[in-house]
Amino acid sequence: MAKEAKKPTPKKTKKDTASSSTLTKETTKKAYSAADISVLEGLEPVRKRPGMYIGSTGPDGLHHLIREIFDNSRDEAMGGYCDHIEIALLPDGMVRVVDNGRGIPVDKHPKTGQSALEVIMTTLHAGGKFDNESYKFSGGLHGVGASVVNALSTYTKAEVHRDGVKYVQEYAIGKPKAKVKQVGKTHHNGTVITFQPDETIFSDVTFNWDRIVKHYREQAYLVRNLRVSLIDAREYTGSIDTDEVYLEDLNLQVPSMSFYFEGGIVSMVRYLNAHQKKVHNSIFHVEKETEDGIQVEVALQYVDDISPRIVPFANNISTPGGGMHVTGFKTALTRNLNNYNKDNKVLSEKDGALSGDDVLEGLSVVLSVKMKEIQFEGQTKDKLGSPEARGAVESVFGEAFAAFLEENPDDAKAILRKAALAMKARKAAKAVKDSILRKGALEGFTLPGKLTDCQTKDADEAEIFIVEGDSAGGTAKQGRDRRTQAILPLRGKPLNVERVRLDKMLGNSEIKSMVVAFGTSIGETLDIEKIRYKKIVIATDADVDGAHIRILLMTFFFRYFREFIDAGYIYVAQPPLYKIKKGKALHYAFSDDERDGVLKELGASLDNKNTSDDEDTGGEDVDEETTPKKGSSKVHVQRYKGLGEMNAEELWETTMDPATRTLKQVTVEDAMEADAIFDTLMGSDVEPRKVFIQNNAKLAEIDI
Ligand code: 0RA
């Protein structure tokens, strides 16, 4: 399905001149035998502390099992011994991984008399004594993971096709059921591992197909010319003939995919940029091993976009946290482009040097390093810590990219012009920011005219209400406690600006007002100690626009005032949705349930309960008369559409009075969620925005 057609590699890349040795020559003809294996431990520790070996017993750990087996097969592929791996999900939670590599060795160990296959499948080989020679760059050591998978599976079967003979051994919870058996002849070479994850170990043994597709597509990109087939036969009801090596050949009518990328990471860059306008047509590529044995491969292309897409790997493991390889890359990229500019004078000299951020705008780059004794860092180990990687990438990439720029002057110019644009935007942003800061300093804090400030200067007791629109602003101003409560009304949608452009952000008067009112400045000069209010309350209406503005504000705080959120300074006001009146008695309800409760108490019910769903209110007043069940005065239910509909007293009583109100404190999780929704709303795609508005319009209507 996602198979990429064989395309000629782009002609302008540096690939041909720069690529050098591959893994193959390191490993070929190095005969492997059972004598190389030093037996270490049984598998009990794995079952006792699975987390130590596979990270967790949740979904991550479960999916990790497939990786452990796949990585062995992939290492065969990287050694040049294997070019097709198939992963099949079978009924009963069974997984089957097939390769056409050399096959796990089966010869007898001279001391123990055990088959190497059995040792590999049942022994924990820690400490690097095992097979350190035959494969250099594995995330672990060759064959190591198989025993861990075996230990955590109720059933495992290893089938080895080697030297014309097929060998089989089966296991239960890591223990062999019998000795390794020869079961016949074969023309195939390779290994088939079938296993069933232990339900008593894993919280859930359901594999996520999408997750598998995503990960193994990526692996196919990373190992050029390797075919990775995926089959989801979990729902298949017929019998599956597992004497067939690749189940793909059975043509079961089940979901399946096959990935094969002749271009490797060049194909990945092409895929990342598929729907973007390219700044230059060629895709730069280099692949080279340094003298100290670090392999570096980089592919990149600029597109007409703002954000960079940096996709780094270390030993074929994704490192979204970046690290040394990314640092080395950025250094070389910035230096190269500045050097080229100096020599060729593409940009005028007075513009100054391009910064690291300038040269990243619109860049799609896949960066892959492979090395021995790798170190990962960070809480999730998604960052490359090995310092040698930095210099390796800097020199391999730097040298090749300099040559690329020299050989492709049109591309070089296009890239420099793109970076110059980024530089201009950066300078504009700085100018605006400086002017705001200067203004604040010189004019002794000119607070925005729209702000109705409070009397107290004590930030601990001061609160600022950010309200939607002048009308609500007016009411809030009358209703507030003027000693401690400040009001800042916003007009319209305040933050309808692009993601990274701080200049545009600060050019927006609503944003500027907020920043000045907070008193902390923004960006590098942000100083939370200077905050003027320790409660910043977002008070928007209970409709789609209100929801939209609330999300925009939360996103704004998340991106620029994260410290405020961490300190617990950001709140969302909780105004009532209904006013319920019976005679002189007044009740507020903050939800539909509450409303119904109040009505019940008053002995009344809404005649038309779902008015909100199907009634086209068209912004009309939606007051309702309800029928009192027994006697007396009528019950009157009013739905508040906006804060401006309340009078000052009502607003104070329900939303602002510290003694009676509820404020919802915004957590980082809330803000992150808003940030994600923001992308949906603000992205150039109209469709997701429409869907959001529709989904929320319904919500808002029900809530009004
Ligand atoms: C240990 C040594 C050799 C290969 C393997 C393990 C191996 C393990 C797995 C697991 C799945 N597929 C695999 N393919 C190979 C080296 C073999 C040699 O030198 O002949």
Side-chain angles (χ1 to χ4, degrees):
M1 253 159 107
K3 183 165 171 171
E4 207 178 69
K6 290 202 174 193
K7 282 179 198 146
T9 37
K11 64 174 195 297
K12 279 182 180 173
T13 66
K14 280 287 296 164
K15 173 180 167 176
D16 299 328
T17 50
S19 82
S20 70
S21 62
T22 68
L23 280 169
T24 320
K25 73 167 187 220
E26 299 290 331
T27 42
T28 33
K29 305 275 154 43
K30 179 144 196 339
Y32 175 91
S33 82
D36 295 345
I37 300 171
S38 55
V39 176
L40 290 166
E41 280 186 80
L43 293 175
E44 298 90 286
V46 182
R47 287 189 66 85
K48 260 194 203 132
R49 309 176 112 190
M52 289 259 295
Y53 298 87
I54 53 163
S56 80
T57 51
D60 287 351
L62 180 75
H63 288 80
H64 197 89
L65 297 181
I66 307 185
R67 284 196 198 186
E68 286 292 350
I69 301 299
F70 175 90
D71 286 358
N72 282 316
S73 302
R74 182 204 60 201
D75 291 352
E76 286 290 290
M78 287 170 60
Y81 303 107
C82 157
D83 65 4
H84 187 193
I85 304 173
E86 177 188 89
I87 300 171
L89 304 182
L90 303 179
D92 302 323
M94 212 77 86
V95 182
R96 189 171 179 273
V97 182
V98 187
D99 68 48
N100 58 354
R102 288 170 292 181
I104 301 180
V106 288
D107 54 325
K108 289 234 168 73
H109 193 279
K111 284 191 197 121
T112 63
Q114 264 179 322
S115 161
L117 172 62
E118 184 169 328
V119 174
I120 286 170
M121 294 303 293
T122 60
T123 319
L124 207 47
H125 332 275
K129 291 191 184 161
F130 173 71
D131 194 25
N132 204 8
E133 287 291 291
S134 72
Y135 184 65
K136 285 169 42 177
F137 300 111
S138 171
L141 297 165
H142 206 156
V144 167
S147 62
V148 171
V149 174
N150 193 13
L152 302 175
S153 299
T154 39
Y155 170 80
T156 306
K157 179 160 76 174
E159 296 163 273
V160 173
H161 299 248
R162 215 176 141 103
D163 305 324
V165 182
K166 182 175 170 185
Y167 303 85
V168 177
Q169 188 169 41
E170 291 175 290
Y171 317 83
I173 322 181
K175 297 200 175 68
K177 291 187 171 184
K179 286 192 166 172
V180 175
K181 275 191 215 118
Q182 298 195 13
V183 291
K185 291 186 177 171
T186 178
H187 292 294
H188 180 73
N189 270 306
T191 307
V192 182
I193 304 282
T194 308
F195 63 94
Q196 187 179 41
D198 190 339
E199 283 183 330
T200 65
I201 298 272
F202 296 95
S203 53
D204 184 357
V205 290
T206 345
F207 287 99
N208 178 332
W209 176 247
D210 291 341
R211 176 175 178 161
I212 289 172
V213 170
K214 182 173 180 290
H215 179 74
Y216 294 100
R217 173 202 281 130
E218 202 171 84
Q219 292 293 315
Y221 276 121
L222 287 169
V223 186
R224 202 176 14 242
N225 293 322
L226 168 66
R227 195 147 84 82
V228 180
S229 307
L230 305 174
I231 298 175
D232 183 0
R234 285 176 292 186
E235 305 291 321
Y236 192 75
T237 46
S239 71
I240 298 174
D241 177 12
T242 47
D243 281 343
E244 187 75 64
V245 179
Y246 288 103
L247 299 187
E248 192 178 65
D249 297 332
L250 295 173
N251 275 317
L252 309 172
Q253 299 298 307
V254 294
S256 67
M257 294 190 171
S258 195
F259 300 109
Y260 169 86
F261 303 107
E262 205 179 32
I265 64 170
V266 170
S267 303
M268 194 165 179
V269 169
R270 196 179 297 126
Y271 168 79
L272 288 172
N273 289 350
H275 304 292
Q276 304 264 17
K277 193 170 160 236
K278 280 87 181 160
V279 168
H280 53 108
N281 283 325
S282 59
I283 297 178
F284 163 84
H285 178 249
V286 62
E287 182 176 20
K288 198 177 172 180
E289 187 173 328
T290 63
E291 273 168 19
D292 15 344
I294 301 178
Q295 281 187 37
V296 178
E297 189 181 2
V298 182
L300 71 79
Q301 185 184 39
Y302 281 88
V303 291
D304 191 10
D305 191 355
I306 290 172
S307 44
R309 275 159 302 272
I310 304 176
V311 190
F313 298 91
N315 287 10
N316 285 357
I317 297 163
S318 171
T319 47
M324 289 298 167
H325 49 346
V326 175
T327 306
F329 168 78
K330 286 181 180 172
T331 308
L333 181 72
T334 314
R335 190 192 314 129
N336 266 314
L337 286 170
N338 275 313
N339 284 347
Y340 184 87
N341 187 39
K342 218 186 276 158
D343 298 344
N344 298 277
K345 309 216 162 24
V346 182
L347 313 175
S348 85
E349 232 160 275
K350 65 174 185 346
D351 288 338
L354 297 164
S355 78
D357 287 340
D358 297 339
V359 298
L360 290 181
E361 281 205 5
L363 174 68
S364 297
V365 56
V366 179
L367 171 58
S368 167
V369 297
K370 293 182 193 114
M371 59 193 297
K372 278 191 228 176
E373 283 149 45
I374 198 152
Q375 286 167 32
F376 293 97
E377 279 180 355
Q379 241 175 5
T380 46
K381 297 275 172 229
D382 68 351
K383 189 174 173 188
L384 176 60
S386 313
E388 320 87 86
R390 181 182 173 151
V393 176
E394 213 179 305
S395 74
V396 169
F397 167 71
E399 206 177 293
F401 193 58
F404 170 85
L405 294 174
E406 291 301 336
E407 285 163 27
N408 303 280
D410 291 346
D411 294 2
K413 274 178 206 135
I415 293 170
L416 278 173
R417 272 188 230 109
K418 163 85 184 145
L421 225 65
M423 177 164 65
K424 272 199 193 115
R426 172 172 58 91
K427 286 186 174 160
K430 190 170 180 310
V432 176
K433 200 171 80 188
D434 286 351
S435 89
I436 289 184
L437 299 180
R438 226 176 4 255
K439 225 169 160 184
L442 288 180
E443 297 165 27
F445 254 88
T446 320
L447 289 169
K450 286 174 280 193
L451 175 76
T452 306
D453 209 6
C454 53
Q455 289 161 345
T456 181
K457 295 281 170 262
D458 178 2
D460 282 314
E461 59 171 3
E463 305 179 345
I464 183 169
F465 281 76
I466 300 171
V467 300
E468 182 185 341
D470 286 334
S471 130
T475 317
K477 210 164 128 179
Q478 288 165 27
R480 71 184 176 132
D481 171 355
R482 54 177 55 239
R483 204 179 68 75
T484 58
Q485 297 181 323
I487 309 294
L488 182 67
L490 298 181
R491 289 188 198 98
K493 301 262 167 79
L495 305 171
N496 215 340
V497 289
E498 281 169 76
R499 192 177 173 121
V500 264
R501 297 280 195 229
L502 193 64
D503 59 330
K504 269 196 206 161
M505 286 254 322
L506 293 176
N508 176 302
S509 67
E510 311 300 301
I511 301 275
K512 211 167 16 188
S513 298
M514 277 191 280
V515 175
V516 175
F518 298 159
T520 56
S521 178
I522 189 169
E524 294 131 55
T525 50
L526 185 130
D527 180 3
I528 194 167
E529 297 296 318
K530 293 201 179 122
I531 199 159
R532 301 178 65 247
Y533 318 90
K534 290 202 181 167
K535 281 202 173 73
I536 298 172
V537 185
I538 302 172
T540 54
D541 294 342
D543 58 9
V544 196
D545 274 349
H548 197 168
I549 293 172
R550 192 169 59 246
I551 284 164
L552 296 173
L553 284 171
M554 278 165 64
T555 303
F556 170 61
F557 289 131
F558 177 65
R559 291 191 184 164
Y560 296 95
F561 293 106
R562 170 77 187 263
E563 285 180 61
F564 291 10
I565 299 174
D566 290 336
Y569 295 165
I570 312 285
Y571 297 84
V572 177
Q574 308 287 303
L577 299 176
Y578 299 97
K579 178 161 90 174
I580 303 160
K581 232 161 84 179
K582 188 184 179 193
K584 284 220 172 78
L586 192 60
H587 304 266
Y588 297 103
F590 292 80
S591 68
D592 285 6
D593 281 350
E594 230 178 282
R595 172 200 63 193
D596 295 344
V598 173
L599 288 176
K600 212 167 155 196
E601 248 169 58
L602 298 175
S605 71
L606 270 187
D607 285 339
N608 182 7
K609 261 215 170 170
N610 38 11
T611 28
S612 34
D613 265 338
D614 49 28
E615 194 183 69
D616 180 14
T617 58
E620 299 280 309
D621 202 320
V622 283
D623 288 10
E624 297 191 29
E625 301 286 327
T626 64
T627 347
K629 292 253 163 63
K630 34 188 185 295
S632 78
S633 55
K634 274 190 171 176
V635 178
H636 188 262
V637 180
Q638 184 191 345
R639 291 197 293 191
Y640 288 124
K641 285 200 300 283
L643 300 170
E645 282 183 357
M646 283 183 239
N647 64 36
E649 206 177 318
E650 286 169 353
L651 189 61
W652 164 252
E653 223 177 282
T654 59
T655 313
M656 299 180 75
D657 179 3
T660 51
R661 72 183 179 196
T662 331
L663 291 182
K664 193 181 167 299
Q665 196 167 44
V666 174
T667 64
V668 173
E669 287 74 36
D670 297 333
M672 266 158 69
E673 197 182 308
D675 189 68
I677 299 173
F678 177 87
D679 275 341
T680 315
L681 290 170
M682 289 301 132
S684 46
D685 266 2
V686 179
E687 202 43 44
R689 181 159 50 234
K690 248 185 171 160
V691 172
F692 171 84
I693 305 240
Q694 277 158 6
N695 288 343
N696 285 274
K698 198 152 175 229
L699 256 178
E701 260 174 31
I702 296 166
D703 283 357
I704 289 168

